[in-house]
Amino acid sequence: MVSKESCRNEIRAAIRQLSDRCLYSAAKWAGEQLVGIEQDPSNFTPSNTRFQRGSSSIRRRFSTISTPQPSAGFSQPPATPLPQEEDEVIDGDLYLLAKSYFDCREYRRASHVLRDQMSNKSLFLRCYALYLAGEKRKEEEMIELEGPLGKSDAINRELVSLERELSALKRTGAIDSFGLYLYGVVLKEKGNESLARASLVESVNSYPWNWSAWSELQSLCTSIEILNSLNLNSHWMKEFFLGSAYQELRMHSESLAKYEYLQGIFSFSNYIQAQTAKAQYSLREFDQVEIMFEDLLRNDPYRVEDMDLYSNVLYAKEACAALSYLAHKVFLTDKYRPESCCIVGNYYSLKGQHEKAVMYFRRALKLNKKYLSVQNLLASEVQKHSSRKLALQKQQLLVIFLSQPSIKILSASHEFFKHVFSLSNFKIWLGWGARCFRDLFHTTTT
Amino acid sequence: MVSKESCRNEIRAAIRQLSDRCLYSAAKWAGEQLVGIEQDPSNFTPSNTRFQRGSSSIRRRFSTISTPQPSAGFSQPPATPLPQEEDEVIDGDLYLLAKSYFDCREYRRASHVLRDQMSNKSLFLRCYALYLAGEKRKEEEMIELEGPLGKSDAINRELVSLERELSALKRTGAIDSFGLYLYGVVLKEKGNESLARASLVESVNSYPWNWSAWSELQSLCTSIEILNSLNLNSHWMKEFFLGSAYQELRMHSESLAKYEYLQGIFSFSNYIQAQTAKAQYSLREFDQVEIMFEDLLRNDPYRVEDMDLYSNVLYAKEACAALSYLAHKVFLTDKYRPESCCIVGNYYSLKGQHEKAVMYFRRALKLNKKYLSVQNLLASEVQKHSSRKLALQKQQLLVIFLSQPSIKILSASHEFFKHVFSLSNFKIWLGWGARCFRDLFHTTTT
């Protein structure tokens, strides 16, 4: 039986460990689950209450289990004890410096500082920084070399050496859970899905609190057979994984059941609420979904992720005022995110301003080429309104589609930035930066 | 007497505290000084030795003190004891979440999570996140609204409310050193230099390890009279401050004397070496400067900061091969940094490819409008080669110059990003992103 307090302590320690390794996206996910755990009434402080209030009624309202067990916890084996941090006295100072370079996004410098350090922690940060330096370069090249077909063959040039080093360490067993996670990411990018899965399974079995590792693993579970074949240890993090994996495999009832179960402890998790809303959306329960998103936005008013889905619902329901409010809100929060552009596109589409709608959907696609749902929206928008100009854009859209070698490969890279890379907006800035640099080349040389 | 070990312990604790508050630039500076402290021979490990080797001979070579006191330490009062962290049990979980949002650059979300938290630490992060959200918006607006004169009146819209809140806290004494630092930054941006100085002095006197606070203070010391009027407690960090402040005031001998003194403990500090090289550059000691930069680059091969100065030296010495190597190196490390563009510009200028040189200097200026030295380089480049095209660029340059309301104001904002904001490349990405967004607007609507 895992108690709330035990979950809380596990997550607190995990956040420190993940942040220490610059796995910020995983730390953020963990942080959201941490504050999603219902407080014991005895520990309520006014501020904690305020943070969690508001949502409970809604969450209970859509609970399909009539009597949730708020404090019972999970009936599963005791949680894996949190691994002890190694003694890092010797290379501690260099690690502090490397991490500070990493935090200032100087990846090669971070990696260089740790070149002679032998601890697992240093090894991970050195390799991870090198990997990100390679990704950064790859993204720059992709955009600089982007031809009329909108793609390029840019690759992360660090992958070969990283695979060589990590596989050698794996053979000798001198690799920890974080190294195994990175090895899995590298293998996946090299196209070795089966070995990647094995490495990621080993990583989550030895350290289940790294959501980025679970996300990578999920992206490699493209069928229920693959999912069932994984040999995963029991842990409450596995339930989160299954909830998400089932959803991707469109097994919405199974997914909802997992989330219902998890709400026994994580009653106030915004993540679970958004995931539940997504499943309900797929089941076309638009009224429920709308209420859930309203609630989510009340609790987390500067949230942008998943709000594109909410805008789809408002569009379908022709809720113009609410859609206008949402568009305004996300535009102020961060207008350079693809979700924001999608929401604004939906708003203009509903207002009948189709050229503007197409413009914003195209922007969303420029910001994130793997934004599948926006590709559909754009296609539909173009189809609906086939003026001469829009017909041209339809043609352009077709080119975008045809030029994508494989949605799966691209989507893998997207997942990397979303879940692994830890800096959710990085790619957008990077994309804009490089694209603009190319434009600058163009305007200053012509 | 401050021993090396005591300095080391102070800095280690400070890095944790600065990182905990997302003051990454200050943490990076501290990290560089930490590994700049000479190891006691008894603690030498092969890797530590390797990290520090290489440079010692050079640093000793240019030491004007014939007998440095490597282990004597500083003859000054004992260091301020490191402040104890407050008990953060109650708002700890929300703080962890807010920090993870901050690390993923979701500033408004980070600020919102801490809205009801009362501890000094939470208060600082909430206000700091809000400040950065305002800066981000300001930068976007500056670039979006940028007219033909290349400027705009965009302001950080959070300044008013931040000043109100922080001044109220200051009156009641409910503000810590970090809050005072932020208050100083806000006051400075509001143009209240005298109050800003007072707040920053109070901040560094109570917590001397925040280099960002010292840097802000330095930017407000525009004369030796102001500098001498500051009532600063003794601390070794004050010596770093004075070294840098003297340099800005062009008191190079005084500055060099401070750095000589500091090298008694920080014998391997790359920062001190770069500062010394800058002073020698102002004294036109190009041969010394060249050797110092060569040494710096050997120790810290992915360093970009200050390397534009090195390229100036190589240009002056017409060292084409070395300049080509440097240009190649920084371009691979990070070509989207203004320093990199300046170095490449110098390279092309030396090769006699003046159009390319102008192009790169213009890029450097686009990336950082306050890049004074590049403005001079560009002006000189344009003057030297007045073809029809270049004459046009000269005209454009004039427009850039005329349109800058006040170099000081702009330079203040630059300092913010360089020292305060903690994410050294942020502005560049932001700049490119917003500029490109504007271009996109342009290309998709025309």
Side-chain angles (χ1 to χ4, degrees), chain A residues 12 28 32 50 93 101 105-106 109 112 116 144 300-301 335-336 363 432 436-437 440-441, chain B residues 12 28 32 50 93 101 105-106 109 112 116 144 300-301 335-336 363 432 436-437 440-441:
Chain A
R12 281 179 192 134
K28 173 178 135 181
E32 290 186 336
R50 203 167 308 136
D93 291 349
Y101 282 147
R105 279 175 261 179
E106 300 191 53
R109 240 175 146 183
H112 182 77
D116 295 318
E144 287 159 14
D300 192 4
K335 63 193 207 182
Y336 295 114
R363 273 183 206 170
W432 283 117
C436 197
F437 207 70
L440 189 63
F441 262 105
Chain B
R12 281 180 192 133
K28 173 179 134 178
E32 289 185 337
R50 204 167 306 139
D93 291 349
Y101 281 147
R105 280 176 260 180
E106 300 192 52
R109 239 176 146 184
H112 181 77
D116 295 317
E144 287 159 14
D300 192 3
K335 63 194 207 181
Y336 294 113
R363 273 184 206 171
W432 283 116
C436 197
F437 207 69
L440 190 63
F441 261 105

Side-chain angles (χ1 to χ4, degrees), chain A residues 22-290:
Chain A
C22 301
L23 290 165
Y24 292 123
S25 189
K28 173 178 135 181
W29 188 91
E32 290 186 336
Q33 307 325 310
L34 176 61
V35 303
I37 301 174
E38 196 175 30
Q39 293 286 336
D40 298 321
S42 57
N43 293 345
F44 265 7
T45 64
S47 55
N48 282 334
T49 319
R50 203 167 308 136
F51 190 78
Q52 294 199 333
R53 218 157 39 191
S55 52
S56 61
S57 58
I58 306 289
R59 287 167 208 209
R60 299 249 159 80
R61 188 166 158 187
F62 292 112
S63 169
T64 52
I65 296 169
S66 54
T67 50
Q69 303 128 317
S71 61
F74 298 107
S75 51
Q76 58 184 30
T80 326
L82 273 184
Q84 296 292 308
E85 287 287 354
E86 323 162 41
D87 188 349
E88 296 274 337
V89 174
I90 293 172
D91 62 17
D93 291 349
L94 293 179
Y95 193 87
L96 287 176
L97 178 62
K99 183 174 179 301
S100 76
Y101 282 147
F102 191 107
D103 285 329
C104 292
R105 279 175 261 179
E106 300 191 53
Y107 303 121
R108 287 198 189 277
R109 240 175 146 183
S111 184
H112 182 77
V113 164
L114 296 172
R115 66 198 178 284
D116 295 318
Q117 304 304 307
M118 303 308 289
S119 74
N120 280 331
K121 200 172 161 186
S122 297
L123 183 118
F124 171 76
L125 195 65
R126 175 168 59 73
C127 292
Y128 186 42
L130 204 60
Y131 176 69
L132 289 188
E135 283 297 295
K136 186 165 170 255
R137 187 72 209 105
K138 182 182 88 178
E139 291 289 325
E140 287 169 6
E141 280 180 1
M142 273 180 76
I143 288 156
E144 287 159 14
L145 305 176
E146 200 177 55
L149 293 180
K151 63 148 187 161
S152 89
D153 302 328
I155 50 158
N156 183 333
R157 294 183 199 174
E158 308 298 334
L159 287 185
V160 175
S161 65
L162 281 171
E163 190 188 8
R164 196 184 310 120
E165 175 167 10
L166 292 168
S167 66
L169 290 165
K170 175 83 168 61
R171 269 195 302 277
T172 58
I175 193 167
D176 72 350
S177 321
F178 298 99
L180 285 166
Y181 153 64
L182 186 60
Y183 186 40
V185 171
V186 169
L187 286 167
K188 181 181 140 182
E189 290 212 24
K190 296 274 289 174
N192 196 338
E193 298 203 351
S194 160
L195 261 185
R197 265 193 301 269
S199 188
L200 291 165
V201 165
E202 210 178 321
S203 173
V204 297
N205 277 342
S206 53
Y207 188 90
W209 302 274
N210 178 6
W211 181 246
S212 296
W214 288 107
S215 298
E216 285 296 321
L217 184 57
Q218 188 206 297
S219 71
L220 293 168
C221 294
T222 44
S223 73
I224 184 66
E225 290 73 30
I226 294 178
L227 184 63
N228 288 336
S229 73
L230 302 178
N231 190 12
L232 295 167
N233 293 350
S234 286
H235 191 275
W236 53 264
M237 282 292 284
K238 180 185 167 187
E239 308 303 310
F240 274 106
F241 165 71
L242 289 176
S244 175
Y246 287 148
Q247 190 164 85
E248 284 299 308
L249 294 171
R250 312 195 67 76
M251 297 162 65
H252 298 300
S253 310
E254 289 84 349
S255 172
L256 284 171
K258 284 288 167 201
Y259 291 129
E260 281 293 342
Y261 172 70
L262 284 163
Q263 277 188 323
I265 281 194
F266 301 93
S267 342
F268 296 97
S269 162
N270 287 336
Y271 168 79
I272 293 181
Q273 189 168 12
Q275 289 292 99
T276 307
K278 275 162 142 179
Q280 300 285 7
Y281 177 79
S282 301
L283 300 170
R284 306 269 148 193
E285 299 285 354
F286 288 170
D287 288 337
Q288 277 198 22
V289 176
E290 186 183 4

Side-chain angles (χ1 to χ4, degrees), chain A residues 332 335-336, chain B residues 134-147 151-157 430 434-435 438:
Chain A
L332 283 181
K335 63 193 207 182
Y336 295 114
Chain B
E135 282 298 295
K136 185 166 170 256
R137 186 73 208 103
K138 183 181 88 177
E139 290 289 324
E140 286 170 5
E141 279 180 1
M142 272 180 77
I143 288 157
E144 287 159 14
L145 306 176
E146 200 177 54
K151 62 147 186 159
S152 90
D153 303 329
I155 51 158
N156 182 334
R157 294 183 198 172
L430 189 60
R435 199 171 295 122
R438 192 199 52 194

Side-chain angles (χ1 to χ4, degrees), chain B residues 34-81:
Chain B
L34 176 60
V35 303
I37 301 174
E38 196 176 29
Q39 293 287 335
D40 299 321
S42 58
N43 293 344
F44 264 7
T45 64
S47 55
N48 282 331
T49 320
R50 204 167 306 139
F51 190 77
Q52 295 198 334
R53 219 155 40 189
S55 53
S56 59
S57 57
I58 306 290
R59 285 164 209 210
R60 298 250 159 79
R61 186 167 161 187
F62 293 111
S63 169
T64 53
I65 295 170
S66 54
T67 50
Q69 303 128 317
S71 61
F74 299 107
S75 51
Q76 59 185 31
T80 324

